[in-house]
Amino acid sequence: MATSRLPLRSSTLSLPLRCLRAPRISPTPTTSITTTPQTRTIQSIHPSRPTRFNNEPHLPLLTATPRASLTRRILPPRTGLLAIKKGMSALYDPETGRRTPCTVLQLDRCQVTAHKTRQRNGYYAVQVGCGWKHPSNVTRPLLGHFAGMGVSPKRHVVEFRVRGEEGLVEVGRELRAGWFAEGQFVDARAKCRGMGFEGGMKRHGFSGQPASHGNSLSHRAMGSAGQSQGGGSRVLPGKRMAGRMGGQQVTVQNVKVLKVDDEKGIIVLHGCVSGPKGGVVQLQDALKKPWPEMSSSPPAAEEVAEPLRATA
């Protein structure tokens, strides 16, 4: 006798929710669970890892930092001044008959126009200006700078680095030729005379090509500029070729001061100095010679009122 199976209803398979939950296990009396609240801040709660650099306050100063470079660099204790190159001459010694070539420099209203300090600019320097310029030919920012310092507009403005705060001269003070003494050594910086675009023979001293033996129209030519296949078919970097010559700053070190005329503002230096006639020359105490035994402040002198007109 066959029996028919009836489908079971879904309600017979559903169990109450409390029967499907896992049984709760109550903690033993000896176990205690404590949680500490975690403070949320922008500062890390984890200890910082040790660093391999000796930048702690009690350790010596690093030698590769900007602060250490300032203490390591050799700078003059006082500022320099600007002078105009008038040309070359010679001094004769009547006893020995020796002729000494010299360069004549003249000062033109050389004044201190500003200061640079380490707290504000990162280094100590004295800004010096010379000459005179009509206010209508000066830009407004620079004209306001001169007016704020109480000096007339200057044609040339240069900074001179000094060692420390004791080398900062009073703003508006005039620097005369007596700033340097006879017999001391100075460093003279100026832009050399520009030659323009020159060839390889004049610019680098090439000997040129033969004058005969089949050579035509290539006597002063540079010649080959490099290899072909073996050298990469290119011109190697740094190849000496024709180009612009001169016009860069040249420093002549350890130049001896022969004569000083404080009244006329004339300084006579031994030998030659770079630059053409009428060029600006920067003079400062020589770095490779002992510092002169002179005060860092200029000698007391009455400030000369400059006229508001161009002088010859």
Side-chain angles (χ1 to χ4, degrees), residues 99-110:
R99 177 183 181 274
T100 303
C102 59
T103 303
V104 180
L105 306 176
Q106 188 174 16
L107 276 65
D108 183 13
R109 291 163 284 191
C110 188

Side-chain angles (χ1 to χ4, degrees), residues 217-277:
L217 306 178
S218 299
H219 307 288
R220 299 181 62 87
M222 185 187 67
S224 175
Q227 309 91 330
S228 178
Q229 183 178 359
S233 300
R234 65 192 179 99
V235 178
L236 297 178
K239 171 64 179 175
R240 296 183 297 174
M241 304 175 71
R244 190 171 182 178
M245 179 180 178
Q248 68 269 16
Q249 181 176 280
V250 178
T251 303
V252 183
Q253 295 182 335
N254 305 331
V255 184
K256 188 176 182 180
V257 179
L258 299 180
K259 296 289 182 180
V260 174
D261 192 342
D262 195 15
E263 182 179 357
K264 297 181 180 179
I266 293 178
I267 301 177
V268 181
L269 302 181
H270 180 270
C272 60
V273 175
S274 300
K277 294 181 181 179

